[in-house]
């Protein structure tokens, strides 16, 4: 096959950046070079071949795109969203690259299949990394970073150099030992009808299971395969011991579900259904089966723990049902208490997802919007049918569709609002446009003062990033030297920065990009999804109810999960419809700017798949 020169469209080249980026025209950046010798052997081999065939920058862009996919596309990320980011990056930098994104196995192809690499990614979730690596890619293909700077930033991100110290503490064990008991206890009450007794036992189980996971992860290797087995077993043993040795009795369902909620992959279940509806059958079905089997393993081991502890597990399981659901949060609790409990549970979930601490308020608002809409719609149907005796799943369906759609709309609204505010704030930090001291508008002064005050406050209480605070000090230097450079009578010809100041500037360039909406929406979906319903189905399979009741748990599971998936699609359809109307009303003068703005709020659930290998036809195209 003859060599073909790739597209010369390189918005990330040093020459292009100096022409288009106003700050780089005056700031003398030191040369930063990524060391490819540290790459894995197979990736280094492809890099070397591409460098000889084309040029170094082209080869490094392949490395960057591949590493972006590996870090973004964890098991709970949307396949279509990752593909959209990779395709956008490939188009903007002229990269001939295709890919197949499985649930945990990724394949990458270069130059019409001349090169192929495969990778296996962790089956976990990392909201901060999904957000950060999408921002890095956006900064690259938007013409704000060179490929060397982007690759080095990726390395620093994985080393934790761009994460707050408090965030680093809860990212991994032992810091997560604080988060797991808090989540177990609050979930036992808010979702599974437990009381303070069940919350206490669930917290103990959460601590023990966290220690087990921590220990097995430290051992590493094949020992990690035992995590689900050990977690389920010890949860069953501890819960059963409290049933046997303590009076009054406990609701084991609340204890088991609250503890194992950390290990249920309910989000992946709904994501799988969304992908099936969108035409991504392979990844959708794989997620569906993986979640079901993993949950079954946890349930089996919890029942085995009961078998080791009590003499008649089946009888105990049926007897404990009378102690479940003894409180009604809508009746027995004041509304503010219920909401505060849910906010506490939501904060623990954000910790589980490694959500950026300084952005917790965003995540909490999205979670609370989805929960409250779901709760109020459900209560409306329950109250309206209280005297009719009619029992159906219409209330579940309606509340889930509305709750999921509310979460999507809230997430997109917050992103649009904060993107507008941040564009003014970061324009001041990066000297993009007129400085606030040079304009008559007071809005810039107010917004900059408010956000800078929040940054200082977060750093004061220990949850903010030091980079953000130090950038406030660097902004004064940049502005002063920018004025001197523009002054013809001043001898200064460029802006000189120290190496650590250059690091601050690059960090600010990346964080000036829009936030990954799915990274903000994912924790809310996690709390709405039916991971616990899958567990209920398996528990009923292992220990059938003795009263002969034939409750179709699987039907309830499908109603819940499908309605949530449809709610996500409906929510994005509402956002895209509204965005389209605004776009039409704005006229043609700002057409390109509006299209770029609205691209940030496309979650990939509505419309055609962005992968070249996928048909452009879609059942959900508006």
């Amino acid at each position: 096959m003859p060599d073909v020169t790739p597209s010369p469209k390189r918005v990330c080249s040093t020459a292009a950046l100096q022409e288009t980026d106003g700050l780089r025209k005056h700031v003398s950046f030191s040369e930063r070079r990524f060391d490819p010798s540290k790459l894995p052997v197979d990736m280094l081999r492809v890099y070397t071949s591409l460098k000889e065939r084309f040029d170094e920058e082209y080869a490094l862009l392949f490395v960057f795109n591949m590493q972006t996919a590996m870090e973004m596309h964890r098991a709970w990320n949307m396949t279509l969203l990752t593909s959209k980011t990779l395709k956008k990056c490939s188009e903007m930098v002229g990269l001939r690259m295709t890919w197949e994104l499985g649930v945990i196995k990724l394949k990458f192809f270069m130059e019409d299949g001349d090169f192929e690499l495969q990778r296996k990614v962790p089956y976990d979730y990392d909201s901060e990394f999904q957000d950060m690596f999408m921002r890095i890619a956006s900064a690259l293909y938007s013409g704000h970073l060179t490929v060397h700077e982007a690759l080095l930033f990726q390395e620093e991100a994985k080393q934790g150099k761009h994460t707050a110290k408090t965030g680093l503490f809860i990212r991994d064990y032992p810091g997560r030992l604080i988060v797991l008991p808090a989540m177990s206890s609050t979930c036992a009450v808010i979702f599974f009808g437990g009381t303070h007794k069940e919350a206490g036992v669930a917290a103990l189980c959460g601590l023990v299971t966290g220690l087990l996971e921590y220990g097995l992860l430290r051992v590493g290797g094949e020992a990690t395969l035992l995590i689900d087995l050990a977690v389920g077993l010890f949860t069953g043993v501890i819960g059963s011991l409290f049933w046997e040795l303590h009076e009054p009795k406990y609701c084991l369902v609340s204890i088991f579900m609250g503890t194992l909620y950390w290990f249920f992959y309910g989000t992946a279940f709904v994501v799988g259904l969304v992908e099936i509806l969108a035409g991504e059958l392979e990844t959708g079905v794989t997620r569906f089966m993986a979640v079901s089997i993993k949950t079954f393993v946890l349930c089996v081991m919890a029942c085995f723990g009961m078998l080791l502890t009590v003499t008649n597990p089946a009888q105990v399981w049926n007897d404990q049902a009378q102690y479940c659901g003894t409180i009604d949060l809508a009746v027995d609790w004041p509304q503010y208490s219920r909401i505060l409990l849910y906010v506490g549970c939501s904060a623990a979930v954000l910790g589980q997802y490694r959500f950026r601490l300084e952005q917790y308020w965003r995540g909490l608002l999205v979670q609370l919007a989805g929960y409250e809409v779901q709760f109020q719609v459900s209560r409306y149907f329950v109250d309206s049918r209280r005297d009719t005796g009619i029992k159906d799943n219409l209330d579940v369906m309606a509340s889930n569709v509305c709750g999921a759609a509310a979460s999507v709309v809230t997430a997109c609204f917050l992103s649009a609002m904060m993107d507008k505010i941040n564009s003014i704030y970061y324009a001041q930090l990066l000297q993009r446009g007129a400085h606030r001291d040079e304009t008559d508008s007071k809005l810039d002064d107010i917004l900059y003062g408010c956000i800078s005050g929040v940054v200082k406050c977060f750093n004061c209480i220990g949850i903010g990033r030091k980079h953000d605070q130090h950038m406030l000090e660097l902004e004064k230097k940049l502005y002063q030297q920018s004025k001197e450079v523009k002054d013809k009578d001043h001898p200064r010809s460029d802006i000189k920065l120290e190496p650590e100041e250059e690091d601050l500037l690059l960090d600010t360039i990346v964080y000036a990009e829009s936030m990954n909406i799915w990274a903000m929406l994912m924790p809310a979906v996690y709390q709405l999804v039916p991971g616990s319903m899958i567990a209920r189905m398996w528990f009923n399979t292992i220990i059938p109810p003795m009263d002969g009741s034939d409750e179709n748990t699987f039907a309830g599971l499908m109603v819940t999960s499908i309605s949530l998936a449809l709610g996500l699609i409906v929510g994005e359809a509402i956002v895209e419809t509204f965005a389209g109307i605004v776009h039409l009303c704005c006229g043609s003068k700002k057409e390109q700017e509006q299209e770029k703005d609205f691209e940030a709020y496309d979650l990939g659930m509505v419309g055609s798949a962005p992968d070249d290998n996928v048909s452009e036809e879609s059942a959900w195209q508006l």
Side-chain angles (χ1 to χ4, degrees), residues 219-506:
V219 174
E222 299 298 323
T224 58
L225 300 176
L226 301 175
I227 291 177
D228 288 343
L229 304 181
V231 164
L233 177 64
F234 277 82
T235 300
V237 168
I238 295 173
S240 300
L241 283 174
F242 273 88
W243 171 272
E244 283 285 289
L245 304 176
H246 193 271
E247 293 287 346
K249 298 300 184 182
Y250 292 81
C251 172
L252 295 181
V253 169
S254 298
I255 297 171
F256 289 1
M257 296 293 194
T259 303
L260 298 179
Y261 202 82
W262 177 286
F263 303 93
F264 291 154
Y265 285 167
T267 302
F269 189 85
V270 172
V271 168
L273 292 176
V274 171
E275 290 181 338
I276 291 174
L277 294 173
E280 292 285 339
L281 299 181
E282 183 176 350
T283 54
V285 172
T286 302
R287 292 184 200 275
F288 188 94
M289 294 304 300
V291 173
S292 300
I293 294 173
K294 177 183 173 65
T295 307
F296 183 65
V297 171
L298 291 167
C299 295
V300 165
M301 294 310 297
C303 292
F304 189 68
M306 292 178 61
L307 184 63
L308 296 178
T309 311
V310 299
T311 54
N312 191 342
Q315 185 63 50
V316 169
W317 185 254
N318 283 275
D319 290 344
Q320 61 87 37
Q322 62 184 304
Y323 300 99
C324 298
T326 57
I327 61 172
D328 187 342
L329 293 178
V331 177
D332 301 330
W333 282 41
Q335 183 172 352
Y336 72 88
S337 298
R338 174 178 59 83
I339 292 177
L340 286 176
L341 180 64
Y342 185 80
V343 169
C345 180
S346 299
V349 169
L350 293 177
Q352 180 195 16
Y353 270 77
R354 302 180 176 98
F355 204 83
R356 285 175 55 199
L357 285 171
E358 66 272 22
Q359 295 294 331
Y360 261 40
W361 66 273
R362 284 205 211 190
L364 290 174
L365 284 176
V366 175
Q367 290 169 306
L368 185 59
Y371 166 73
E372 194 60 21
V373 169
Q374 183 189 51
F375 183 86
Q376 295 299 339
V377 172
S378 177
R379 294 304 304 180
Y380 169 78
F381 279 96
V382 170
D383 293 340
S384 63
R385 299 178 183 180
R386 192 180 302 277
D387 300 328
T388 63
I390 299 175
K391 184 178 180 180
D392 54 42
N393 288 320
L394 292 176
D395 57 330
V396 176
M397 178 190 67
S399 62
N400 287 336
V401 170
C402 294
S407 294
V408 174
V409 172
T410 303
C412 292
F413 170 76
L414 287 176
S415 291
M417 179 183 69
M418 291 309 301
D419 283 349
K420 185 63 177 177
I421 295 174
N422 285 339
S423 65
I424 298 174
Y425 174 70
Y426 283 107
Q428 298 298 306
L429 292 181
L430 298 172
Q431 308 300 307
R432 296 173 179 172
H435 192 268
R436 59 188 179 279
D437 292 342
E438 299 173 352
T439 62
D440 296 331
S441 174
K442 298 297 182 182
L443 179 61
D444 293 353
D445 296 338
I446 295 173
L447 289 178
Y448 185 85
C450 291
I451 298 178
S452 60
V454 171
V455 168
K456 294 175 182 177
C457 179
F458 282 167
N459 275 272
C460 182
I461 61 179
I463 66 173
R465 299 187 322 126
K466 292 296 183 183
H467 287 74
D468 294 332
Q469 185 172 9
H470 293 160
M471 189 60 202
L472 294 175
E473 302 168 2
L474 179 60
E475 186 268 342
K476 300 174 183 177
K477 176 179 178 179
L478 287 175
Y479 175 55
Q480 180 60 36
Q481 294 194 11
S482 295
K483 288 199 304 181
E484 295 172 356
V485 169
K486 296 175 183 178
D487 187 354
K488 297 180 180 180
D489 298 328
H490 199 281
R492 182 179 295 279
S493 59
D494 58 0
I495 300 174
K496 299 290 186 181
L497 297 179
E498 299 296 329
E500 58 273 14
E501 292 176 331
E502 290 185 15
D503 293 339
L504 284 176
L505 197 56
L506 293 176

Side-chain angles (χ1 to χ4, degrees), residues 74 100 399 423 512 524 586:
R74 302 296 178 93
E100 292 180 8
S399 62
S423 65
C586 286

Side-chain angles (χ1 to χ4, degrees), residues 509-527:
I509 288 173
V510 170
Y511 277 93
E513 299 298 318
S514 298
M515 186 176 183
N516 183 342
I517 296 181
W518 180 247
M520 175 172 40
L521 181 62
M522 186 167 52
V525 176
Y526 175 66
Q527 290 180 283

Side-chain angles (χ1 to χ4, degrees), residues 182-195 198-203 251 253-259 261 327 341 345:
M183 180 174 162
S184 299
S185 59
T186 52
C187 283
V189 178
I190 195 74
F191 295 134
F192 306 115
T195 63
E198 285 80 15
V201 179
C251 172
V253 169
S254 298
I255 297 171
F256 289 1
M257 296 293 194
T259 303
Y261 202 82
I327 61 172
L341 180 64
C345 180

